[in-house]
Amino acid sequence: MQCTLDRLRPGESATVRGLLPDNGRLIARRLMDLGFTRGAHVRCLFAAPSGEPRAYRIRGAVVALRREDAALVRAEREVASA
């Protein structure tokens, strides 16, 4: 199921499908540098008590992203098998 990274709940995983335009904020380039590239596996680990930032594990690293930045990452949610 297609979604953006900000839609993942803690414990859910997805595969990165691409990045959305960031309207000149240059965050898309930084996300690519951090490993958010097509085909990368990402898992939402947990959210701060206020709901953001959220921690994501990608390529062996843990990255904290604000909701507005995570919304730039297109992903395909992995369906948990029963």
Side-chain angles (χ1 to χ4, degrees), residues 1-9 11-17 36-37 39-44 56-58 73-79:
M1 172 193 299
Q2 292 277 337
C3 66
T4 53
L5 211 56
D6 63 314
R7 298 298 203 169
L8 290 184
R9 290 180 291 232
E12 290 185 320
S13 297
T15 301
V16 175
R17 292 295 174 221
F36 290 91
T37 56
H41 177 78
V42 62
R43 182 176 184 85
C44 182
Y56 299 92
R57 180 175 301 281
I58 184 157
V73 181
R74 288 187 315 111
E76 185 157 342
R77 185 179 279 137
E78 295 177 1
V79 180

